[in-house]
Amino acid sequence: MKKSTKIFTGLFAFTFMFAACDQLAFDFTQELVKEFIVEILSGSNGQGTVSVTEQLNLKDGDLDKHRDKIKSAEVKSVVVRFADYVGKDSAMYSGAFQMPNLLPDIYYMNDLDISDYAKNNKELVIYEKDGTSFPDDANFPGDELIAALNEQLLNPTMDQIDFVYTLSGTEFPVVFKATLAVNFNASVGPN
């Protein structure tokens, strides 16, 4: 066989394999994260409060790469991780969490000892499939939020999900790093 025929045959086979790979179905797991700083430096009437508005980027990793081919997505967990806590030990805080572009309802959290979470590398589990589901707030429509979040993971026009984290307490100043993490599985189908 001529050298040019071998090269042409090799290129044809490579092109065919590449095209076939685009038709494969597979699953993947991903964690979307957003890190932010929380500071309550002062307060009034003995109460310090801060509200942080951030965005969870959906144009990341496999989600971004396969967004137009994802057939299903399922959130497995939503957690907050705390680190680098500076403030009084064992200070208790109350908090609220909202994803306003998905659901107008606010999820309320009580009695958070953030120093304990940070020092012991514990995650604040807001939602875990087959486990914890929005503790401390029985009235929060958690199933609706997770369904909306699953739907937005499939929406190729959605670039980000807004979230608002509010914290208040009687002990300040306090500064710490928080990370919102959304873990999900997705199934990619052929074009």
Side-chain angles (χ1 to χ4, degrees), residues 115-132:
S115 68
D116 181 55
Y117 280 100
K119 290 177 182 171
N120 294 306
N121 294 319
K122 295 187 330 188
E123 294 181 332
L124 172 61
V125 178
I126 295 174
Y127 169 81
E128 189 171 55
K129 184 168 176 52
D130 302 326
T132 302

Side-chain angles (χ1 to χ4, degrees), residues 31-44:
E31 180 177 75
L32 298 171
V33 296
K34 176 62 181 184
E35 187 176 285
F36 54 101
I37 302 296
V38 177
E39 298 176 320
I40 303 176
L41 302 178
S42 62
S44 62

Side-chain angles (χ1 to χ4, degrees), residues 39-178:
E39 298 176 320
I40 303 176
L41 302 178
S42 62
S44 62
N45 298 324
Q47 188 76 17
T49 302
V50 65
S51 186
V52 178
T53 301
E54 291 287 346
Q55 293 77 36
L56 190 62
N57 182 13
L58 299 180
K59 295 183 74 74
D60 186 34
D62 284 338
L63 178 62
D64 187 42
K65 187 175 5 175
H66 304 293
R67 197 83 178 276
D68 59 334
K69 297 178 209 107
I70 294 176
K71 302 301 181 199
S72 67
E74 181 179 40
V75 172
K76 294 297 187 182
S77 67
V78 178
V79 300
V80 180
R81 300 180 186 117
F82 302 98
D84 304 332
Y85 177 87
V86 177
K88 183 178 177 184
D89 287 346
S90 302
M92 302 304 279
Y93 299 91
S94 59
F97 177 79
Q98 181 185 29
M99 290 182 163
N101 57 338
L102 299 183
L103 190 70
D105 299 68
I106 299 171
Y107 167 59
Y108 294 98
M109 300 166 278
N110 299 315
D111 301 327
L112 299 174
D113 182 351
I114 294 172
S115 68
D116 181 55
Y117 280 100
K119 290 177 182 171
N120 294 306
N121 294 319
K122 295 187 330 188
E123 294 181 332
L124 172 61
V125 178
I126 295 174
Y127 169 81
E128 189 171 55
K129 184 168 176 52
D130 302 326
T132 302
S133 184
F134 303 94
D136 295 336
D137 191 348
N139 296 320
F140 183 74
D143 291 342
E144 288 180 41
L145 178 66
I146 296 304
L149 191 51
N150 286 336
E151 186 177 310
Q152 292 311 312
L153 292 171
L154 298 173
N155 182 349
T157 63
M158 181 70 110
D159 292 340
Q160 66 188 29
I161 295 173
D162 299 332
F163 68 92
V164 180
Y165 182 75
T166 304
L167 191 71
S168 62
T170 57
E171 298 294 334
F172 45 87
V174 63
V175 177
F176 59 90
K177 179 171 54 176

